[in-house]
Amino acid sequence: MSSIILERIIATNYKSFRTLDLPIKQVNVLIGANGAGKSNIQRLFGMIKSIVNQEFQAYIDKSNGSGAILHYGHMKSDLINITIWFKHDNNLSSAYHCKLVPAEKSMKLVNETIYVRDSSKFSDPIVYCEHDNITTESHLPHWANISDIPRQILDAIRSWHIYNFNDSSALARAKQPCNLDDNLCLAPDASNLPAYLDMLRNKYPKNYDSIVQTIRMVNPSFSDFFLRRHPFIFNHVELMWKENNTDFIFNANMLSDNMLRFIFLTTLFLQPREMLPSLIVLDNADLGLHPYAIVLLAEMIHSVTVTDRTKVVLSTQSATLIDQFEHEDILLVELDHGISMIRRIDQNKIVPWLAEYSLGELWQKNVLEALAI
C-alpha cells in the first residue's frame, strides 16, 4: 500500500471538461444524466495510469487519436494540463504535473514536473524535479529509480485500479479458465476471478469465508465455489459453484449476469485490506443488482473507506445506492452548453429537504440540481 494519499486532480482541456478540479474524498459518488461526463472522469484515471506506466502511446492509439482526448478536438484545444496532488504522512504534500500536446494523431509530453510543499516551512510549492523535453513517454519512472518522492508518486498511481466489469456474457473473461498463477491482484475485467478466489481460499480463508457468506445473503441457495483445475489446460482453473442440498456442480454460465457481477464486487471489497488498491474506480457498479445487493455493496464500500488508505470513485444512476451515502459524498456531473462541470450539494439547501425525503428520492424527483453549488 502506498504511503501517500491522493487528494486532488486538476485537468484542463480533457474530453468534455474545459476545467476539472476534483478533490478526492473517501467516497466520491458521481451522478448525472447520460452523456454528462461521468465516464470521462473515470477514464482520466486510466489515462494518467497509462502515462506513468509508459503506455501512453498505446492508450492514445486505443482511444482513436489525440482528437478524442482533447476538449472538442484540435480545433478547440491545443494542449492538456494535468496536476495530481498527494498528501504524505507528515507536513509534506507533493504533486505530479504533465503537459500533453497533440502530434499528428498521437500526443506527446512536453513537460513533467514534480512539486513539493512543506506546510511547516513555506506556503507555496517548489519544483522538486522537472523535465521539459518533448517525449513520447513519461520520465517519472526514471526519477523514481533515484529519488524517494517520485517513487512514492509512481507507486501511488500504479496502485489505482479502474474496474469496468460489464461483460457477463457467455464469452466473458470471468467465465473462462485462467492461469492459476495469475493471482497477484484482481483484474479489472475479472478475467482472473477463479485464480484469485482460489488464492484467497488457500491463503486468506477468513476473507474467503466472508465472501461466501455475503454471497449467500443475496442468494441463499448458494453453497460454495467449486474452483476446478481444468482437465485439459495445464495449470488453469475455472469458476464453478455448488448449491445447497445437491451434489450437482454448476459452471459459471449458469450464474445470472447480476449474480456474477455481485460475486466480483464482493471479492473486490472483501479481499484482505493490505491487498486493496489505494484508489478503486467503478463504472455503474450497481448495474442490474437487486436492491438488497446494492445495500450490501454500499456497506462493503464503507468498510474499506473507514481509513484514508483506500478511496472509492463510482458512478451510479441508482436511487437505492445514493441513499446509502451522505450528501457530502455526492458529485453532480452536468453538461452545460457542451461543457461538463461538477457541483456538490449545498449543505444549507439540502438539510430542510432531508427532513421529508431521502437523497435517492430527491434524485428521482430531479431536485438535486437545484440544491447544488
Side-chain angles (χ1 to χ4, degrees):
M1 179 60 67
S2 169
S3 60
I4 62 175
I5 301 164
L6 175 64
E7 283 198 314
R8 194 181 206 99
I9 289 184
I10 304 167
T12 59
N13 298 326
Y14 171 74
K15 286 186 175 285
S16 59
F17 287 90
R18 173 62 75 182
T19 301
L20 171 66
D21 188 346
L22 180 61
I24 308 295
K25 301 182 61 179
Q26 288 306 112
V27 180
N28 308 267
V29 182
L30 306 173
I31 65 173
N34 293 331
K38 301 186 299 295
S39 295
N40 288 341
I41 296 173
Q42 294 168 320
R43 293 186 185 110
L44 177 61
F45 291 102
M47 187 178 82
I48 293 169
K49 191 170 181 179
S50 76
I51 291 172
V52 303
N53 279 335
Q54 297 183 327
E55 298 169 347
F56 185 45
Q57 298 309 308
Y59 180 91
I60 295 298
D61 288 342
K62 290 172 64 175
S63 302
N64 296 317
S66 59
I69 307 297
L70 288 161
H71 181 68
Y72 282 97
H74 304 92
M75 299 298 294
K76 290 282 187 178
S77 307
D78 58 0
L79 61 86
I80 293 174
N81 277 298
I82 299 171
T83 306
I84 311 152
W85 279 98
F86 298 92
K87 177 184 176 183
H88 294 246
D89 292 332
N90 42 38
N91 293 319
L92 201 66
S93 296
S94 64
Y96 168 75
H97 169 80
C98 63
K99 181 184 293 185
L100 316 172
V101 298
E104 296 181 356
K105 292 185 178 180
S106 185
M107 296 196 80
K108 294 185 178 181
L109 292 88
V110 296
N111 178 270
E112 286 182 284
T113 307
I114 290 179
Y115 296 97
V116 172
R117 178 171 58 212
D118 187 339
S119 59
S120 66
K121 296 179 180 179
F122 44 82
S123 58
D124 295 327
I126 62 171
V127 174
Y128 185 82
C129 51
E130 184 174 21
H131 187 269
D132 57 5
N133 295 325
I134 298 175
T135 59
T136 57
E137 299 293 353
S138 172
H139 203 74
L140 181 59
H142 301 292
W143 287 332
N145 287 331
I146 58 177
S147 184
D148 188 52
I149 289 177
R151 179 189 56 77
Q152 289 182 325
I153 291 173
L154 180 62
D155 289 347
I157 297 175
R158 282 180 171 172
S159 71
W160 300 352
H161 281 216
I162 298 91
Y163 296 96
N164 190 4
F165 179 56
N166 292 325
D167 182 8
S168 50
S169 67
L171 298 177
R173 298 283 301 278
K175 296 181 179 181
Q176 310 306 314
C178 69
N179 192 308
L180 195 59
D181 298 324
D182 183 12
N183 58 21
L184 293 180
C185 62
L186 187 59
D189 61 354
S191 58
N192 68 341
L193 181 60
Y196 204 71
L197 284 167
D198 186 81
M199 180 275 296
L200 292 176
R201 182 181 61 182
N202 293 326
K203 294 185 177 181
Y204 303 92
K206 289 184 178 180
N207 296 83
Y208 178 85
D209 289 343
S210 294
I211 292 167
V212 171
Q213 293 294 336
T214 303
I215 293 168
R216 289 174 182 166
M217 295 172 71
V218 173
N219 182 1
S221 65
F222 179 85
S223 172
D224 201 349
F225 294 106
F226 185 81
L227 302 166
R228 187 182 74 160
R229 302 302 188 269
H230 198 277
F232 306 118
I233 307 176
F234 174 73
N235 205 40
H236 275 57
V237 61
E238 58 184 333
L239 182 66
M240 305 183 80
W241 57 287
K242 299 180 289 186
E243 278 191 345
N244 296 320
N245 305 316
T246 178
D247 293 329
F248 187 78
I249 306 297
F250 299 88
N251 63 36
N253 280 319
M254 294 180 178
L255 286 166
S256 71
D257 294 356
N258 299 331
M259 196 66 228
L260 183 60
R261 181 174 291 108
F262 185 71
I263 288 171
F264 171 72
L265 292 167
T266 304
T267 304
L268 169 62
F269 285 107
L270 296 185
Q271 64 182 303
R273 287 188 179 274
E274 64 268 24
M275 300 174 69
L276 283 165
S278 66
L279 177 71
I280 296 172
V281 182
L282 287 168
D283 185 23
N284 292 322
D286 57 281
L287 186 64
L289 294 184
H290 185 277
Y292 181 54
I294 292 176
V295 172
L296 290 177
L297 170 62
E299 291 177 358
M300 291 188 286
I301 292 172
H302 286 304
S303 73
V304 303
T305 56
V306 290
T307 67
D308 56 6
R309 292 303 183 184
T310 295
K311 299 188 176 187
V312 175
V313 176
L314 63 95
S315 64
T316 185
Q317 299 284 13
S318 168
T320 302
L321 188 56
I322 293 171
D323 272 339
Q324 311 311 310
F325 297 99
E326 303 297 327
H327 71 268
E328 295 93 339
D329 303 324
I330 305 299
L331 294 165
L332 187 61
V333 185
E334 299 174 301
L335 198 65
D336 184 13
H337 295 90
I339 299 176
S340 295
M341 60 182 63
I342 296 177
R343 295 197 294 159
R344 290 192 182 270
I345 298 172
D346 188 300
Q347 167 81 13
N348 295 325
K349 292 180 180 179
I350 191 70
V351 169
W353 286 88
L354 292 178
E356 296 187 40
Y357 303 99
S358 71
L359 273 176
E361 289 172 333
L362 293 174
W363 170 240
Q364 290 178 316
K365 294 177 181 295
N366 203 30
V367 173
L368 288 183
E369 290 187 7
L371 304 179
I373 53 174

